[in-house]
């Protein structure tokens, strides 16, 4: 059992009790259910519509843990690509950053209590700039709500903190509320995966929706090509030098006949011994390999590579006439972040 110093300097037990933990999760679930059961959908709808109809930018602001939520929601809204959205730190706003706010903009102020001094000081300054103000709070009849054009009340039964003080439930419902509103906006705007991916080009989301096979495949001089009449032992250099672990067997018109892998080489050597010197690639190749087209999505190539009955290390890339134009490998897909 480990021990940690208490704020008073005494050692206290630090082993988590599984039953106590289960009770805490049950309590948190009850608090979240209270939020879902008592949320005013009319207020939620009005807030979502305000974000959609905002003629200018949408700014989010908050202090402390609510500030982290505000920052995250502004980034999520911005990632949709429909609305300019940003986080406005309340303290920095009072020292010049409020210059980013214009009369057509919307400022969303997130606060559990609705009585944070930093936000209350920000309100008249934002009002003077002509921005529309919306508060999101959890305490009834709070001063921030009274100063804003619209208020959304997030029902909070109590915090799951043992003292009922740390914002471990209030921030959870703030995040759930905000993210659900963003999801509603995505649905109303009929956002497509392709549109969403354009704003996430560096992450796995974007890569899986943007990259096509033709963007990641090897081609031309990097292809390990041979003819079906070529002797196996004469193609060892081609088999090992291109970094694909295989040969693409083609005919005179460059159409794919089959594939021959380094695994096929080992199996052929084991079963035929010295007879391998008399065998052609065409005699031992796989004439029914998995293939893919250049216009297919790269994520589809990954799925095909990993599909049953057994995974493979590569896919020949062919056109509708089975002409070989490239090869895409598992290593290449993983290196690209897929």
């Amino acid at each position: 059992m480990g021990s940690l110093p208490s704020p008073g300097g005494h050692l206290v037990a630090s082993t988590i009790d599984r039953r106590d933990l289960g009770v805490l999760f049950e309590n948190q679930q009850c608090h979240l259910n209270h939020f879902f059961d008592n949320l005013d959908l009319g207020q939620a709808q009005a807030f979502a519509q305000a974000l959609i109809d905002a003629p200018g930018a949408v700014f989010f602001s908050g202090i402390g843990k609510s500030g982290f939520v505000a920052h995250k929601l502004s980034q999520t809204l911005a990632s949709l690509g429909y609305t300019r959205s940003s986080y406005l730190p309340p303290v920095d706003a009072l020292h010049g950053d409020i210059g980013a706010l214009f009369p057509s903009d919307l400022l969303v102020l997130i606060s559990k209590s609705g009585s944070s001094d930093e936000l209350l000081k920000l309100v008249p300054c934002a009002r003077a700039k002509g921005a529309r103000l919306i508060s999101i709070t959890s305490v009834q009849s709070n001063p921030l709500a009274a100063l804003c054009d619209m208020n959304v009340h997030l029902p909070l039964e109590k915090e799951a903190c043992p003292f009922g003080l740390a914002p471990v439930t209030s921030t959870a419902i703030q995040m759930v509320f905000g993210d659900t509103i963003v999801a509603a906006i995505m649905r109303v705007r009929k956002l497509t995966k392709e549109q969403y991916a354009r704003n996430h080009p560096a992450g796995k989301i974007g890569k899986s929706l943007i990259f096509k096979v033709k963007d990641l495949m090897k081609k031309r001089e990097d292809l390990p090509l041979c003819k079906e009449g070529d002797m196996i032992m004469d193609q060892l250099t081609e088999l090992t030098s291109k970094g694909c672990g295989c040969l693409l067997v083609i005919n005179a018109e460059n159409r794919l006949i089959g594939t021959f892998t380094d695994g096929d080489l080992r199996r052929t050597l084991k079963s035929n011994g010295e007879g391998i010197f008399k065998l052609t690639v065409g005699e031992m190749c796989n004439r029914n390999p998995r293939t893919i087209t250049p216009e297919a999505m790269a994520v589809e190539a990954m799925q095909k590579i990993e599909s049953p009955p057994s995974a493979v290390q590569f896919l020949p890339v062919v056109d509708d006439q089975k002409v070989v134009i490239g090869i895409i490998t598992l290593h290449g897909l993983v290196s690209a972040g897929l």
Side-chain angles (χ1 to χ4, degrees):
M1 178 185 294
S3 297
L4 292 174
S6 70
H10 304 293
L11 292 179
V12 295
S14 59
T15 300
I16 298 294
D17 184 88
R18 182 172 179 175
R19 286 173 296 181
D20 290 344
L21 184 62
V23 170
L24 286 172
F25 275 112
E26 289 176 1
N27 291 341
Q28 183 75 303
Q29 182 179 23
C30 290
H31 301 331
L32 293 176
N33 286 339
H34 174 83
F35 162 73
F36 290 121
D37 293 339
N38 294 278
L39 177 66
D40 187 330
L41 288 180
Q43 290 184 358
Q45 181 185 25
F47 175 64
Q49 196 64 51
L51 296 184
I52 292 173
D53 295 340
V58 176
F59 288 88
F60 288 79
S61 190
I63 199 73
K65 307 302 185 295
S66 294
F68 290 119
V69 175
H71 199 167
K72 188 271 181 188
L73 293 179
S74 71
Q75 292 178 318
T76 303
L77 185 61
S79 74
L80 305 187
Y82 286 115
T83 303
R84 289 185 297 110
S85 182
S86 185
Y87 174 67
L88 184 65
V91 175
D92 292 340
L94 297 176
H95 292 272
D97 284 10
I98 200 170
L101 204 60
F102 286 85
S104 60
D105 295 339
L106 177 65
L107 177 59
V108 180
L109 303 165
I110 303 177
S111 171
K112 170 188 171 181
S113 67
S115 58
S116 301
D117 289 339
E118 296 85 352
L119 297 183
L120 293 175
K121 291 178 182 178
L122 177 59
V123 167
C125 302
R127 182 77 70 192
K129 296 282 291 185
R132 187 184 182 195
L133 307 179
I134 298 178
S135 59
I136 299 178
T137 60
S138 288
V139 173
Q140 296 280 12
S141 304
N142 64 79
L144 182 63
L147 295 172
C148 291
D149 300 303
M150 177 193 301
N151 179 68
V152 178
H153 175 69
L154 303 185
L156 175 65
E157 186 175 39
K158 63 177 296 187
E159 300 284 5
C161 160
F163 311 116
L165 298 174
V168 294
T169 302
S170 56
T171 50
I173 64 177
Q174 288 170 355
M175 193 75 79
V176 167
F177 173 78
D179 282 340
T180 304
I181 293 297
V182 172
I185 293 173
M186 293 173 70
R187 178 171 294 185
V188 170
R189 295 288 196 181
K190 294 181 172 58
L191 187 71
T192 66
K193 288 183 178 180
E194 290 71 26
Q195 290 171 323
Y196 188 68
R198 281 199 290 269
N199 295 320
H200 299 77
K204 190 168 184 178
I205 294 174
K207 289 175 181 178
S208 66
L209 295 173
I210 291 176
F211 284 146
K212 293 186 175 182
V213 169
K214 65 181 180 182
D215 300 319
L216 302 176
M217 69 182 186
K218 293 186 176 185
K219 43 195 170 185
R220 299 187 181 90
E221 66 276 2
D222 293 326
L223 299 182
L225 301 175
C226 72
K227 300 295 176 63
E228 63 176 326
D230 292 339
M231 305 303 294
I232 290 177
M233 299 307 291
D234 292 340
Q235 294 300 315
L236 292 185
T237 300
E238 189 72 7
L239 176 63
T240 58
S241 65
K242 298 296 178 67
C244 299
C246 69
L247 293 169
L248 302 182
V249 188
I250 58 175
N251 63 16
E253 290 77 35
N254 285 334
R255 289 189 173 89
L256 183 69
I257 294 174
T259 60
F260 185 83
T261 68
D262 48 10
D264 293 327
L265 175 64
R266 290 191 296 273
R267 286 185 288 273
T268 302
L269 183 59
K270 183 177 181 179
S271 60
N272 292 274
E274 293 183 0
I276 194 173
F277 289 97
K278 300 178 181 180
L279 294 174
T280 64
V281 178
E283 290 177 279
M284 304 305 296
C285 71
N286 171 19
R287 291 180 176 262
N288 188 33
R290 303 174 198 177
T291 62
I292 198 162
T293 63
E295 292 298 325
M297 302 305 296
V299 68
E300 181 184 339
M302 179 65 87
Q303 292 168 351
K304 194 172 254 190
I305 279 176
E306 296 177 335
S307 64
S310 60
V312 296
Q313 297 296 310
F314 65 91
L315 293 173
V317 183
V318 298
D319 63 16
D320 54 3
Q321 300 297 316
K322 291 198 69 176
V323 173
V324 174
I325 57 177
I327 185 172
I328 190 161
T329 65
L330 176 59
H331 180 268
L333 289 168
V334 172
S335 297
L338 294 169

